[in-house]
Amino acid sequence: SAVSKFRYFVVENSTVLALLEEPLGNDQDPQPTVTLLIRGGFGRHAWTLQLRHLPRHRSGTKYQHTPNPGRPVPLEDPPPRPHSRHKYFPDSVERIPQCKVDKSIPDLDALFLEDSSGELSELSRLLEKQVVGERRDSSPPCTMDPERECAPPPPCHEFQTARLFLSHFGLLSRLDNNQEPGIPPLVALDTSHPSFCNDLEALDNIGCRTVNTCHVMYVRAGQKQPEHILNNVLSESTVSPHFLEMLLALGWPVKVSQHPGWTGHVATSYKLAHGTQGEPATESLPSHGGSLFNGDSHVLYWADVSAEIAFVVPTSSRKSKHFDEFHQQDSAVWYERSLSACEATD
């Protein structure tokens, strides 16, 4: 399947990355390419990266792939090296007649005869050795062997572009064993899990807006039992008309089976029941005190560009998923009392 060709990671416990390494043979201009699918809180995005040494407008051989021309062939016969003899004095110095001053400083040969310590003999031996070494180094080099010429390595056809992407963004080093306690910042997902595709599809069906669920209850003065409070909304005669007016002002009624957005519960949200798409979206609502919006068939829905809110009126019906969820989690309660109720209790 297509999912098995991707490599999935979770970054910072909030973003899902899907990396696809594309082969080089699928393009007229083969370049190491990686396709990235980003699933985050701001939606789903696709990103494609190519490893290029030059930008597109600077690449002269965009669709022309010529073979490597190689290095220049070395010359078999090197050019002759000019030989020159270095002189310390000009040639005319030999024609100048000598005087007594020139003989005031004895020459080296006379000093060798008077050398009793042997230092001058050692110096003469070192000079002769140095002369022999310089003559050997100044000899013409041997002919170069073309078979020993350096050849460039063959071009690489396999690239780990996913690894390159993670390394450039500083995420690859987070896969080592030296992790801090808690949830690691980068987690590799197992695509072979049986429910991975279903979970990924459910994730794609979720919108990019924040979702909230608000439970609305009608509490009469002096009521303390949960059963009595939940039974108030079963009939229109047990609630104030202003309460129903307030409910309809919170959002617009939607049918759970036909609503593609948030319904207040994960099991029924972002799903359309089969065979219900053709039913009318609006219909006359039966008489009730707010119990119709308990989440079994209808809810009150409000949304804008960044958030979705489902207003649910809990009832004592055990088939309601919202009733069980309301009792299993901690909820923040907002009390709103009418002016007449406040005057009656004073």
Side-chain angles (χ1 to χ4, degrees):
S1 61
V3 177
S4 60
K5 298 181 180 180
F6 283 83
R7 304 175 65 181
Y8 290 85
F9 301 91
V10 177
V11 180
E12 301 294 344
N13 200 26
S14 60
T15 305
V16 179
L17 301 181
L19 301 178
L20 173 63
E21 297 179 348
E22 299 183 6
L24 299 181
N26 294 341
D27 194 358
Q28 296 180 356
D29 184 20
Q31 299 288 345
T33 306
V34 58
T35 300
L36 178 66
L37 301 181
I38 306 174
R39 295 176 173 90
F42 297 96
R44 294 169 293 275
H45 309 277
W47 194 13
T48 301
L49 298 92
Q50 285 187 342
L51 177 61
R52 288 180 172 271
H53 298 286
L54 291 175
R56 296 179 185 272
H57 67 279
R58 295 287 301 277
S59 180
T61 58
K62 185 175 182 180
Y63 296 105
Q64 299 176 3
H65 300 279
T66 57
N68 188 0
R71 299 180 62 182
V73 180
L75 297 176
E76 296 291 342
D77 299 329
R81 185 176 181 180
H83 297 279
S84 59
R85 183 179 179 182
H86 300 282
K87 298 181 180 180
Y88 300 100
F89 300 98
D91 297 337
S92 60
V93 73
E94 300 294 340
R95 298 190 295 269
I96 300 176
Q98 297 183 356
C99 60
K100 294 182 179 180
V101 177
D102 297 329
K103 298 180 180 181
S104 62
I105 300 176
D107 54 1
L108 293 178
D109 296 336
L111 295 177
F112 287 156
L113 298 176
E114 300 177 359
D115 183 20
S116 59
S117 60
E119 295 180 357
L120 296 179
S121 300
E122 180 67 18
L123 179 60
S124 178
R125 188 183 63 82
L126 294 176
L127 289 175
E128 292 178 357
K129 183 178 179 181
Q130 181 66 21
V131 170
V132 173
E134 291 181 358
R135 290 177 180 177
R136 183 178 64 251
D137 295 339
S138 61
S139 59
C142 60
T143 306
M144 300 180 62
D145 187 3
E147 296 181 357
R148 300 180 59 183
E149 176 67 16
C150 296
C156 182
H157 296 284
E158 296 181 0
F159 298 89
Q160 296 181 351
T161 49
R163 185 183 184 91
L164 185 64
F165 168 81
L166 296 176
S167 176
H168 282 188
F169 281 83
L171 302 175
L172 188 60
S173 59
R174 300 183 180 182
L175 290 176
D176 53 8
N177 297 326
N178 300 327
Q179 296 287 349
E180 298 180 357
I183 301 177
L186 182 64
V187 179
L189 300 181
D190 184 12
T191 58
S192 61
H193 196 275
S195 61
F196 180 80
C197 295
N198 296 332
D199 295 340
L200 190 63
E201 183 180 1
L203 179 63
D204 291 337
N205 291 331
I206 298 177
C208 59
R209 296 178 290 185
T210 59
V211 295
N212 301 276
T213 302
C214 179
H215 294 85
V216 183
M217 291 173 287
Y218 185 85
V219 183
R220 303 176 67 88
Q223 287 185 337
K224 297 181 179 179
Q225 298 297 327
E227 293 78 5
H228 297 166
I229 297 175
L230 297 178
N231 291 333
N232 289 334
V233 296
L234 297 179
S235 175
E236 185 178 0
S237 59
T238 57
V239 297
S240 173
H242 300 288
F243 176 74
L244 297 177
E245 183 179 356
M246 185 268 297
L247 283 180
L248 297 178
L250 295 177
W252 52 91
V254 294
K255 201 170 183 178
V256 174
S257 59
Q258 298 180 357
H259 183 53
W262 176 249
T263 61
H265 198 274
V266 178
T268 57
S269 298
Y270 306 106
K271 297 180 181 178
L272 290 176
H274 297 285
T276 60
Q277 289 82 351
E279 297 181 3
T282 59
E283 57 183 7
S284 60
L285 301 179
S287 177
H288 62 91
S291 60
L292 180 65
F293 308 118
N294 62 352
D296 290 339
S297 61
H298 292 76
V299 293
L300 293 171
Y301 179 77
W302 180 90
D304 62 359
V305 69
S306 60
E308 296 180 76
I309 303 178
F311 296 93
V312 180
V313 182
T315 60
S316 58
S317 175
R318 287 297 177 181
K319 68 178 181 178
S320 176
K321 303 180 181 63
H322 302 273
F323 179 81
D324 298 336
E325 181 185 10
F326 177 74
H327 283 274
Q328 291 175 1
Q329 64 182 2
D330 297 334
S331 303
V333 181
W334 173 39
Y335 293 96
E336 181 173 344
R337 305 176 65 180
S338 62
L339 182 60
S340 58
C342 295
E343 294 176 353
T345 56
D346 291 342

Coordinates of all heavy atoms in Angstrom, one line a residue, residues 107-184:
D107 N 93.1 31.5 2.4 CA 92.0 30.7 1.8 C 91.7 29.5 2.7 O 92.3 29.2 3.7 CB 92.3 30.3 0.4 CG 93.6 29.6 0.3 OD1 94.2 29.4 1.4 OD2 94.1 29.2 -0.7
L108 N 90.6 28.8 2.3 CA 90.1 27.6 3.1 C 91.1 26.5 3.0 O 91.2 25.7 4.0 CB 88.8 27.2 2.6 CG 87.6 28.2 2.8 CD1 86.3 27.6 2.3 CD2 87.4 28.4 4.3
D109 N 91.8 26.3 1.9 CA 92.8 25.2 1.8 C 93.9 25.4 2.9 O 94.3 24.4 3.5 CB 93.4 25.2 0.4 CG 92.3 24.9 -0.6 OD1 91.3 24.2 -0.2 OD2 92.5 25.2 -1.8
A110 N 94.3 26.6 3.1 CA 95.3 26.8 4.1 C 94.8 26.5 5.5 O 95.5 26.0 6.4 CB 95.8 28.2 4.0
L111 N 93.5 26.8 5.7 CA 92.9 26.5 7.0 C 92.8 25.0 7.3 O 92.9 24.5 8.4 CB 91.6 27.2 7.2 CG 91.6 28.7 7.2 CD1 90.2 29.3 7.2 CD2 92.4 29.3 8.3
F112 N 92.5 24.2 6.2 CA 92.4 22.8 6.3 C 93.7 22.2 6.8 O 93.7 21.2 7.6 CB 92.0 22.2 5.0 CG 90.5 22.4 4.7 CD1 90.1 22.4 3.4 CD2 89.6 22.7 5.7 CE1 88.8 22.6 3.0 CE2 88.3 23.0 5.3 CZ 87.9 22.9 4.0
L113 N 94.8 22.7 6.4 CA 96.1 22.2 6.8 C 96.4 22.4 8.2 O 97.1 21.6 8.9 CB 97.2 22.8 5.9 CG 97.1 22.5 4.4 CD1 98.3 23.2 3.7 CD2 97.2 21.0 4.2
E114 N 95.8 23.5 8.8 CA 96.0 23.9 10.2 C 94.9 23.4 11.1 O 94.9 23.7 12.3 CB 96.2 25.4 10.3 CG 97.3 26.0 9.5 CD 97.4 27.4 9.6 OE1 96.5 28.0 10.3 OE2 98.3 28.1 9.0
D115 N 93.9 22.6 10.5 CA 92.8 22.1 11.3 C 93.2 20.9 12.2 O 93.5 19.9 11.7 CB 91.6 21.7 10.4 CG 90.4 21.3 11.2 OD1 90.3 21.6 12.4 OD2 89.5 20.6 10.6
S116 N 93.3 21.2 13.5 CA 93.7 20.1 14.4 C 92.5 19.4 15.1 O 92.6 18.3 15.5 CB 94.6 20.7 15.5 OG 94.0 21.7 16.2
S117 N 91.3 20.1 15.2 CA 90.2 19.6 15.8 C 89.3 18.7 14.9 O 88.4 18.0 15.4 CB 89.3 20.7 16.4 OG 88.9 21.6 15.4
G118 N 89.4 18.8 13.6 CA 88.6 18.1 12.7 C 87.3 18.6 12.3 O 86.5 18.0 11.6
E119 N 87.0 19.8 12.8 CA 85.7 20.5 12.5 C 85.5 20.8 11.1 O 84.5 20.7 10.5 CB 85.5 21.7 13.4 CG 85.4 21.3 14.9 CD 85.2 22.6 15.8 OE1 85.2 23.7 15.2 OE2 85.0 22.4 17.0
L120 N 86.6 21.4 10.5 CA 86.6 21.7 9.1 C 86.4 20.5 8.2 O 85.8 20.6 7.2 CB 87.8 22.5 8.7 CG 88.0 23.9 9.4 CD1 89.3 24.6 9.0 CD2 86.8 24.8 9.2
S121 N 87.0 19.4 8.6 CA 86.9 18.2 7.8 C 85.4 17.7 7.8 O 84.9 17.3 6.8 CB 87.8 17.1 8.3 OG 89.2 17.6 8.2
E122 N 84.8 17.8 9.0 CA 83.4 17.4 9.1 C 82.5 18.3 8.3 O 81.5 17.9 7.6 CB 83.0 17.4 10.6 CG 81.5 17.0 10.9 CD 81.3 15.6 10.5 OE1 82.2 14.8 10.4 OE2 80.1 15.2 10.4
L123 N 82.8 19.6 8.3 CA 82.0 20.6 7.5 C 82.2 20.3 6.0 O 81.2 20.3 5.3 CB 82.5 22.0 7.8 CG 81.8 23.1 7.1 CD1 80.3 23.1 7.3 CD2 82.3 24.5 7.4
S124 N 83.4 19.9 5.6 CA 83.6 19.6 4.2 C 82.8 18.3 3.8 O 82.3 18.3 2.7 CB 85.1 19.4 3.9 OG 85.3 19.1 2.6
R125 N 82.8 17.4 4.7 CA 82.0 16.1 4.4 C 80.5 16.4 4.2 O 79.9 15.9 3.4 CB 82.3 15.1 5.5 CG 81.7 13.7 5.2 CD 81.9 12.8 6.3 NE 81.2 13.3 7.5 CZ 79.9 13.0 7.7 NH1 79.2 12.4 6.9 NH2 79.3 13.5 8.8
L126 N 80.0 17.3 5.1 CA 78.6 17.6 5.0 C 78.3 18.4 3.7 O 77.2 18.2 3.1 CB 78.2 18.5 6.2 CG 78.2 17.7 7.6 CD1 77.9 18.7 8.7 CD2 77.3 16.5 7.6
L127 N 79.2 19.3 3.3 CA 79.0 20.0 2.1 C 78.9 19.1 0.9 O 78.1 19.2 0.0 CB 80.0 21.1 1.9 CG 80.0 22.3 2.9 CD1 81.2 23.2 2.7 CD2 78.7 23.0 2.7
E128 N 79.9 18.1 0.8 CA 79.9 17.2 -0.3 C 78.6 16.3 -0.3 O 78.1 16.0 -1.4 CB 81.1 16.3 -0.2 CG 82.4 17.0 -0.4 CD 83.6 16.1 -0.2 OE1 83.4 14.9 0.1 OE2 84.8 16.6 -0.4
K129 N 78.1 15.9 0.9 CA 76.9 15.2 0.9 C 75.7 16.0 0.4 O 74.8 15.5 -0.3 CB 76.6 14.7 2.4 CG 75.4 13.8 2.5 CD 75.3 13.3 4.0 CE 74.1 12.5 4.1 NZ 73.9 12.0 5.6
Q130 N 75.7 17.3 0.8 CA 74.6 18.1 0.4 C 74.6 18.3 -1.2 O 73.6 18.4 -1.8 CB 74.6 19.5 1.1 CG 73.5 20.4 0.7 CD 72.2 19.9 1.2 OE1 72.1 19.1 2.1 NE2 71.1 20.4 0.6
V131 N 75.8 18.5 -1.7 CA 75.9 18.6 -3.2 C 75.4 17.4 -3.9 O 74.7 17.5 -4.9 CB 77.4 19.0 -3.5 CG1 77.6 18.9 -5.0 CG2 77.8 20.3 -3.0
V132 N 75.8 16.2 -3.4 CA 75.3 15.0 -4.0 C 73.8 14.9 -4.0 O 73.1 14.5 -5.0 CB 75.9 13.8 -3.4 CG1 75.3 12.5 -3.9 CG2 77.5 13.8 -3.6
G133 N 73.2 15.3 -2.8 CA 71.7 15.2 -2.7 C 71.0 16.2 -3.6 O 70.0 15.9 -4.2
E134 N 71.6 17.4 -3.8 CA 70.9 18.4 -4.7 C 71.1 18.0 -6.1 O 70.1 18.2 -6.9 CB 71.6 19.8 -4.5 CG 71.3 20.4 -3.1 CD 72.0 21.7 -2.9 OE1 72.7 22.1 -3.9 OE2 71.8 22.4 -1.9
R135 N 72.1 17.4 -6.5 CA 72.3 16.9 -7.9 C 71.3 15.8 -8.2 O 70.7 15.7 -9.3 CB 73.7 16.4 -8.2 CG 74.7 17.5 -8.2 CD 76.1 17.0 -8.4 NE 77.1 18.0 -8.5 CZ 78.4 17.8 -8.6 NH1 78.9 16.6 -8.6 NH2 79.3 18.9 -8.6
R136 N 71.1 14.9 -7.2 CA 70.1 13.8 -7.4 C 68.7 14.4 -7.5 O 67.9 13.9 -8.3 CB 70.2 12.8 -6.2 CG 69.2 11.6 -6.4 CD 69.4 10.7 -5.3 NE 69.0 11.3 -4.0 CZ 69.8 11.6 -3.0 NH1 71.1 11.4 -3.2 NH2 69.4 12.1 -1.9
D137 N 68.3 15.4 -6.7 CA 67.0 16.0 -6.8 C 66.7 16.8 -8.1 O 65.6 16.9 -8.5 CB 66.7 16.8 -5.6 CG 66.7 16.0 -4.3 OD1 66.5 14.8 -4.4 OD2 66.9 16.6 -3.2
S138 N 67.8 17.3 -8.6 CA 67.7 18.1 -9.8 C 67.7 17.3 -11.1 O 67.6 17.9 -12.2 CB 68.8 19.2 -9.9 OG 70.1 18.5 -9.9
S139 N 67.8 16.0 -11.0 CA 67.8 15.2 -12.2 C 66.4 15.2 -12.8 O 65.4 15.3 -12.1 CB 68.2 13.7 -11.8 OG 67.3 13.2 -10.8
P140 N 66.2 15.0 -14.1 CA 64.9 15.0 -14.7 C 64.0 13.9 -14.2 O 64.5 12.8 -14.0 CB 65.2 14.8 -16.2 CG 66.5 14.2 -16.3 CD 67.3 14.7 -15.1
P141 N 62.7 14.2 -13.9 CA 61.8 13.2 -13.3 C 61.5 12.1 -14.3 O 61.6 12.2 -15.5 CB 60.6 14.0 -13.0 CG 60.6 15.1 -13.9 CD 62.0 15.5 -14.1
C142 N 61.1 11.0 -13.8 CA 60.7 9.8 -14.7 C 59.4 10.1 -15.4 O 58.6 11.0 -15.0 CB 60.7 8.5 -13.8 SG 59.4 8.6 -12.5
T143 N 59.2 9.4 -16.4 CA 58.0 9.6 -17.2 C 56.7 9.1 -16.4 O 56.8 8.1 -15.8 CB 58.0 8.8 -18.5 OG1 59.2 9.1 -19.2 CG2 56.8 9.0 -19.4
M144 N 55.7 10.0 -16.4 CA 54.5 9.6 -15.6 C 53.7 8.5 -16.3 O 53.6 8.4 -17.5 CB 53.6 10.9 -15.6 CG 54.2 12.1 -14.9 SD 53.1 13.5 -14.8 CE 51.8 12.8 -13.8
D145 N 53.1 7.6 -15.4 CA 52.4 6.5 -15.9 C 50.9 6.9 -16.0 O 50.3 7.2 -15.0 CB 52.6 5.3 -14.9 CG 51.9 4.1 -15.4 OD1 51.4 4.1 -16.5 OD2 51.9 3.1 -14.6
P146 N 50.3 6.8 -17.2 CA 48.9 7.2 -17.3 C 48.0 6.3 -16.5 O 46.9 6.7 -16.1 CB 48.6 7.1 -18.8 CG 50.0 7.1 -19.5 CD 50.9 6.5 -18.5
E147 N 48.4 5.0 -16.3 CA 47.5 4.1 -15.5 C 47.4 4.5 -14.1 O 46.4 4.1 -13.4 CB 48.0 2.7 -15.6 CG 48.0 2.2 -17.1 CD 48.6 0.7 -17.1 OE1 49.0 0.2 -16.0 OE2 48.6 0.2 -18.2
R148 N 48.3 5.3 -13.6 CA 48.2 5.7 -12.2 C 47.5 7.1 -12.0 O 47.5 7.7 -10.9 CB 49.6 5.8 -11.6 CG 50.4 4.5 -11.6 CD 51.7 4.7 -11.1 NE 51.7 5.1 -9.7 CZ 52.8 5.4 -9.0 NH1 54.0 5.3 -9.5 NH2 52.7 5.8 -7.7
E149 N 46.9 7.6 -13.1 CA 46.2 8.8 -13.0 C 44.9 8.7 -12.1 O 44.2 7.7 -12.2 CB 45.8 9.3 -14.4 CG 44.9 10.6 -14.4 CD 45.7 11.8 -14.0 OE1 47.0 11.7 -13.9 OE2 45.1 12.8 -13.6
C150 N 44.7 9.7 -11.3 CA 43.5 9.7 -10.4 C 42.2 9.8 -11.2 O 42.1 10.6 -12.1 CB 43.6 10.8 -9.4 SG 45.0 10.7 -8.3
A151 N 41.3 8.9 -10.9 CA 40.0 8.9 -11.6 C 38.9 9.3 -10.6 O 39.0 8.9 -9.4 CB 39.7 7.5 -12.1
P152 N 37.9 10.1 -11.0 CA 36.8 10.5 -10.1 C 36.0 9.3 -9.7 O 35.9 8.3 -10.5 CB 36.1 11.5 -10.9 CG 36.3 11.1 -12.3 CD 37.7 10.6 -12.4
P153 N 35.4 9.3 -8.5 CA 34.5 8.2 -8.1 C 33.3 8.1 -9.0 O 32.9 9.1 -9.5 CB 34.2 8.5 -6.7 CG 34.4 10.0 -6.5 CD 35.5 10.3 -7.5
P154 N 32.6 7.0 -9.1 CA 31.4 6.9 -9.9 C 30.3 7.7 -9.2 O 30.3 7.9 -8.0 CB 31.1 5.4 -9.9 CG 31.8 4.9 -8.7 CD 33.0 5.7 -8.5
P155 N 29.4 8.3 -10.0 CA 28.3 9.1 -9.4 C 27.4 8.2 -8.5 O 27.2 7.0 -8.8 CB 27.5 9.6 -10.6 CG 27.9 8.6 -11.7 CD 29.3 8.2 -11.4
C156 N 26.9 8.8 -7.4 CA 26.0 8.1 -6.5 C 24.6 8.1 -7.0 O 24.1 9.2 -7.4 CB 26.2 8.8 -5.1 SG 25.2 7.9 -3.8
H157 N 24.0 7.0 -7.0 CA 22.6 6.9 -7.4 C 21.6 6.6 -6.3 O 20.4 6.5 -6.5 CB 22.4 5.8 -8.5 CG 23.2 6.1 -9.7 ND1 22.8 7.0 -10.7 CD2 24.4 5.6 -10.2 CE1 23.7 7.0 -11.7 NE2 24.7 6.2 -11.4
E158 N 22.1 6.4 -5.1 CA 21.2 6.1 -3.9 C 21.5 7.2 -2.8 O 22.6 7.4 -2.4 CB 21.5 4.7 -3.4 CG 21.2 3.6 -4.4 CD 21.4 2.3 -3.8 OE1 21.9 2.2 -2.6 OE2 21.2 1.2 -4.5
F159 N 20.4 7.8 -2.4 CA 20.5 8.9 -1.4 C 19.5 8.6 -0.3 O 18.3 8.2 -0.6 CB 20.2 10.3 -2.0 CG 21.2 10.7 -3.1 CD1 21.0 10.3 -4.4 CD2 22.4 11.4 -2.7 CE1 21.9 10.7 -5.4 CE2 23.3 11.7 -3.7 CZ 23.1 11.4 -5.0
Q160 N 19.8 8.8 0.9 CA 18.9 8.8 2.0 C 18.4 10.2 2.3 O 18.8 10.9 3.2 CB 19.6 8.2 3.3 CG 20.0 6.7 3.1 CD 20.7 6.2 4.3 OE1 21.0 6.9 5.3 NE2 21.0 4.9 4.3
T161 N 17.4 10.6 1.5 CA 17.0 12.0 1.6 C 16.2 12.2 2.8 O 16.2 13.3 3.4 CB 16.1 12.3 0.3 OG1 15.1 11.2 0.2 CG2 16.9 12.4 -0.9
A162 N 15.5 11.2 3.3 CA 14.7 11.4 4.6 C 15.7 11.6 5.7 O 15.5 12.5 6.6 CB 13.9 10.2 4.9
R163 N 16.8 10.9 5.8 CA 17.8 11.1 6.8 C 18.5 12.4 6.7 O 18.8 13.1 7.7 CB 18.8 9.9 6.7 CG 19.9 9.9 7.8 CD 20.9 8.8 7.6 NE 21.8 8.8 8.7 CZ 21.7 8.0 9.7 NH1 20.6 7.3 9.8 NH2 22.6 8.0 10.7
L164 N 18.7 12.9 5.4 CA 19.3 14.2 5.2 C 18.3 15.3 5.7 O 18.8 16.3 6.3 CB 19.6 14.3 3.7 CG 20.3 15.6 3.3 CD1 21.7 15.6 3.9 CD2 20.4 15.7 1.8
F165 N 17.0 15.1 5.5 CA 16.1 16.2 5.9 C 16.1 16.2 7.5 O 16.1 17.3 8.1 CB 14.7 15.8 5.4 CG 13.6 16.6 6.0 CD1 13.3 17.9 5.6 CD2 12.8 16.1 7.1 CE1 12.3 18.7 6.2 CE2 11.8 16.8 7.7 CZ 11.6 18.1 7.2
L166 N 16.0 15.1 8.1 CA 16.0 15.1 9.6 C 17.3 15.6 10.2 O 17.3 16.3 11.2 CB 15.7 13.7 10.1 CG 14.4 13.0 9.7 CD1 14.3 11.6 10.2 CD2 13.2 13.9 10.3
S167 N 18.4 15.4 9.5 CA 19.7 15.9 10.0 C 19.8 17.4 9.8 O 20.3 18.1 10.7 CB 20.8 15.2 9.2 OG 22.1 15.7 9.6
H168 N 19.3 17.9 8.7 CA 19.4 19.4 8.5 C 18.6 20.1 9.4 O 18.9 21.3 9.8 CB 19.1 19.7 7.0 CG 20.2 19.4 6.1 ND1 20.2 19.7 4.8 CD2 21.4 18.7 6.3 CE1 21.3 19.3 4.2 NE2 22.0 18.7 5.1
F169 N 17.4 19.6 9.8 CA 16.5 20.3 10.8 C 16.8 19.9 12.2 O 16.0 20.3 13.1 CB 15.1 20.0 10.4 CG 14.6 20.7 9.2 CD1 14.8 20.3 7.9 CD2 13.9 21.9 9.4 CE1 14.4 21.0 6.8 CE2 13.4 22.6 8.3 CZ 13.7 22.2 7.0
G170 N 17.9 19.3 12.5 CA 18.3 19.0 13.9 C 17.4 18.0 14.6 O 17.3 18.0 15.8
L171 N 16.7 17.1 13.8 CA 15.9 16.1 14.4 C 16.5 14.7 14.5 O 16.0 13.9 15.3 CB 14.6 16.0 13.6 CG 13.7 17.3 13.5 CD1 12.5 17.1 12.6 CD2 13.3 17.8 14.9
L172 N 17.5 14.5 13.7 CA 18.1 13.1 13.7 C 18.8 12.8 15.0 O 18.8 11.6 15.4 CB 19.1 13.0 12.5 CG 19.6 11.6 12.2 CD1 18.4 10.7 11.9 CD2 20.6 11.6 11.1
S173 N 19.4 13.7 15.6 CA 20.2 13.5 16.8 C 19.2 13.1 18.0 O 19.7 12.6 19.0 CB 21.0 14.7 17.2 OG 20.2 15.8 17.4
R174 N 18.0 13.4 17.8 CA 17.0 13.1 18.9 C 16.6 11.6 18.9 O 15.8 11.2 19.8 CB 15.8 14.0 18.8 CG 16.1 15.4 18.8 CD 14.9 16.3 18.8 NE 15.2 17.7 18.9 CZ 14.3 18.7 18.9 NH1 13.0 18.4 18.8 NH2 14.6 19.9 18.9
L175 N 17.1 10.8 18.0 CA 16.7 9.4 18.0 C 17.7 8.5 18.8 O 17.6 7.3 18.8 CB 16.6 8.9 16.5 CG 15.5 9.4 15.7 CD1 15.6 8.9 14.3 CD2 14.2 9.0 16.3
D176 N 18.7 9.1 19.4 CA 19.6 8.4 20.2 C 19.0 7.9 21.5 O 17.9 8.2 21.9 CB 20.9 9.2 20.4 CG 20.6 10.5 21.0 OD1 19.5 10.7 21.4 OD2 21.5 11.4 21.2
N177 N 19.8 7.2 22.2 CA 19.4 6.6 23.5 C 19.5 7.6 24.7 O 18.9 7.3 25.7 CB 20.2 5.3 23.8 CG 19.9 4.2 22.8 OD1 18.8 4.1 22.3 ND2 21.0 3.4 22.5
N178 N 20.2 8.7 24.5 CA 20.4 9.6 25.6 C 19.2 10.6 25.6 O 19.3 11.8 25.1 CB 21.7 10.4 25.4 CG 22.9 9.4 25.5 OD1 22.8 8.4 26.2 ND2 23.9 9.7 24.7
Q179 N 18.1 10.2 26.0 CA 16.9 11.0 26.0 C 16.5 11.4 27.4 O 16.8 10.6 28.4 CB 15.7 10.2 25.3 CG 15.9 9.9 23.9 CD 15.8 11.1 23.0 OE1 15.4 12.2 23.4 NE2 16.2 11.0 21.7
E180 N 15.9 12.5 27.5 CA 15.4 12.9 28.8 C 14.2 12.1 29.2 O 13.5 11.6 28.3 CB 15.1 14.4 28.8 CG 16.3 15.3 28.5 CD 16.0 16.8 28.5 OE1 14.7 17.1 28.7 OE2 16.9 17.6 28.3
P181 N 13.9 12.0 30.5 CA 12.7 11.3 30.9 C 11.4 11.9 30.4 O 11.3 13.2 30.3 CB 12.7 11.3 32.4 CG 13.7 12.4 32.8 CD 14.6 12.5 31.6
G182 N 10.4 11.1 30.1 CA 9.2 11.6 29.5 C 9.0 11.3 28.0 O 9.7 10.4 27.5
I183 N 8.1 12.0 27.4 CA 7.9 11.7 26.0 C 9.0 12.3 25.1 O 9.3 13.5 25.3 CB 6.5 12.3 25.5 CG1 5.4 11.7 26.4 CG2 6.3 12.1 24.0 CD1 4.1 12.3 26.0
P184 N 9.7 11.5 24.3 CA 10.8 12.1 23.5 C 10.3 13.0 22.5 O 9.1 12.9 22.0 CB 11.4 10.8 22.9 CG 10.3 9.8 22.9 CD 9.5 10.1 24.1

